[in-house]
Amino acid sequence: MTTSIIEAEGLTKQFSRGKTTVDAVTDVSFTVEPGGLVAFLGPNGAGKSTTIRMLTTLIPPTSGGARVVGHDIATTPEQVRARIGYVGQGTSGSFAQRVRDELLSQGAFYGVPAKQAKARADALIESLDLASFATRTVQQLSGGQKRRLDIALGLMHAPPLIFLDEPSTGLDPQSRANLWQHILDLREQHGTTVFLTTHYLDEADRYAERVMVMDAGRVIADDTAPALKATLAGDAITLGFASAADADAAEATIGRLAERATTRPDATTVAANVDDGERLLPRLIRDLDAQGLAVERATGVPPTLDDVFLALTGRTLREADAAHETTPTPATEGASS
Ligand SMILES: Nc1ncnc2c1ncn2[C@@H]1O[C@H](COP(=O)(O)OP(=O)(O)O)[C@@H](O)[C@H]1O
Ligand SMILES: [Mg+2]
């Protein structure tokens, strides 16, 4: 008897591109408990969409498998599909239908009885703040409004689990914040489990309860954002001195108390990544002072998820994104939505 809403075991997907094989996803295993908000964070090309497309039964894994809402993706895909919502990457088409009619069509598609569909459409219009344009056609909506409609469409059959592939990509910061508020509210109101992907570090950091970092087809870290930052990055501290000689003398003390390797950004400055920089910094200043080494400048910067990514991969997320853009675009086997 299991209570996990997603159980993935060894999910692997290879695409053939001409004569070469692309390892899009390699041996990904994890479980998600009901009610969680999990973010897949990773640069373009990391394998986030491919993983979601396997979990939502859109493409079969090359090997490995998963149970989603209690059903096997390979043997009972229709059972899985009936119990999940999926909002793919990119915006919805420019439908000529009005927003409310679009929702009702979606309900009919999922076999939701008409009366129930109407009530649900109205509730979603309300909770996703679509009321003021419910009678507009989809093509008249802004990017952020379309994304909210996409999410409403994914929720018309009241699934306990929804997959959102880069819901906020391409939106301006205000629409992103607004969309996130709606995602958080939906969870609060309906207890929907949310599994989403993003390549925005700040979003994963702020909103996700659990962050799975993906790179080159593998999950390379999986924890809460604070835990990832504390264990993998640490606070960046710098201490500046009047002379290079003072900095030389101080470096050993700093290394010993910090229990970490030190670096020298310039001749008079010593830097280190440390645990609990807030407490360590005043202590270092006192100890150095007692040795006659006056600290003239000090900074302490808490880590970001980008520092985590850097610590894990040796490159920043932006560098990884840029590197992917320069690789050739894949042949399209199956619709890449
Ligand atoms: N249909 C496909 N055919 C060939 N290669 C693909 C296909 N879909 C994705 N890929 C490749 O698989 C890798 C992972 O892609 P994807 O899952 O879309 O990454 P992400 O969503 O993290 O940006 C990339 O190298 C991509 O080019
Ligand atoms: Mg993607």
Side-chain angles (χ1 to χ4, degrees):
M1 185 70 200
T2 168
T3 55
S4 302
I5 199 159
I6 305 176
E7 289 173 77
E9 185 61 51
L11 275 182
T12 297
K13 183 72 186 179
Q14 295 171 331
F15 292 107
S16 44
R17 191 188 289 170
K19 281 185 185 145
T20 59
T21 304
V22 180
D23 293 309
V25 173
T26 306
D27 196 20
V28 166
S29 303
F30 62 90
T31 58
V32 173
E33 303 314 313
L37 200 171
V38 182
F40 248 180
L41 172 72
N44 287 324
K48 305 182 297 295
S49 294
T50 303
T51 305
I52 284 207
R53 291 169 68 206
M54 288 191 278
L55 292 172
T56 53
T57 79
L58 290 170
I59 52 171
T62 307
S63 62
R67 290 177 74 79
V68 175
V69 204
H71 295 272
D72 191 287
I73 55 168
T75 56
T76 49
E78 64 293 339
Q79 299 288 346
V80 173
R81 288 184 192 205
R83 288 166 178 78
I84 60 171
Y86 167 68
V87 179
Q89 210 173 328
T91 51
S92 49
S94 48
F95 306 115
Q97 278 214 98
R98 294 173 199 284
V99 168
R100 191 163 184 277
D101 297 334
E102 193 65 39
L103 287 167
L104 295 177
S105 303
Q106 182 85 355
F109 174 79
Y110 277 108
V112 180
K115 200 170 155 211
Q116 214 175 324
K118 279 182 188 155
R120 210 166 274 160
D122 290 336
L124 286 167
I125 283 170
E126 170 83 35
S127 53
L128 284 157
D129 206 8
L130 294 164
S132 50
F133 28 86
T135 56
R136 270 192 225 166
T137 61
V138 177
Q139 59 208 0
Q140 291 171 304
L141 304 182
S142 74
Q145 292 162 352
K146 267 192 193 152
R147 262 345 232 166
R148 272 157 33 215
L149 172 62
D150 288 337
I151 293 172
L153 289 168
L155 290 169
M156 266 309 285
H157 56 304
L161 168 65
I162 187 163
F163 291 92
L164 306 172
D165 197 357
E166 306 226 4
S168 56
T169 295
L171 301 182
D172 61 80
Q174 203 182 332
S175 306
R176 275 171 56 190
N178 178 286
L179 183 73
W180 268 102
Q181 198 49 56
H182 287 300
I183 292 172
L184 298 177
D185 289 350
L186 281 173
R187 244 189 98 216
E188 193 93 329
Q189 289 164 20
H190 305 282
T192 314
T193 306
V194 181
F195 189 99
L196 58 83
T197 69
T198 181
H199 66 257
Y200 292 125
L201 295 152
D202 58 320
E203 291 191 340
D205 199 352
R206 267 180 81 175
Y207 302 114
E209 284 161 355
R210 172 175 167 196
V211 179
M212 298 175 74
V213 184
M214 200 165 192
D215 187 43
R218 292 177 187 271
V219 172
I220 54 174
D222 177 1
D223 213 327
T224 64
L228 288 173
K229 289 188 285 189
T231 54
L232 290 164
D235 302 316
I237 61 162
T238 70
L239 296 157
F241 301 87
S243 66
D246 278 5
D248 291 344
E251 195 169 358
T253 302
I254 296 168
R256 184 168 48 78
L257 288 181
E259 295 174 0
R260 296 287 182 96
T262 51
T263 57
R264 296 288 288 275
D266 61 59
T268 61
T269 310
V270 181
N273 279 316
V274 302
D275 297 328
D276 207 5
E278 239 176 31
R279 282 169 209 284
L280 182 66
L281 208 46
R283 192 172 145 219
L284 278 172
I285 294 170
R286 276 197 308 274
D287 278 34
L288 291 165
D289 214 41
Q291 292 175 39
L293 296 165
V295 176
E296 293 206 324
R297 308 173 305 277
T299 62
V301 181
T304 66
L305 283 179
D306 209 20
D307 299 320
V308 169
F309 193 79
L310 182 65
L312 287 165
T313 68
R315 64 212 207 289
T316 66
L317 200 71
R318 191 148 14 126
E319 284 164 358
D321 263 342
H324 182 73
E325 265 147 40
T326 60
T327 61
T329 41
T332 45
E333 177 231 289
S336 175
S337 56

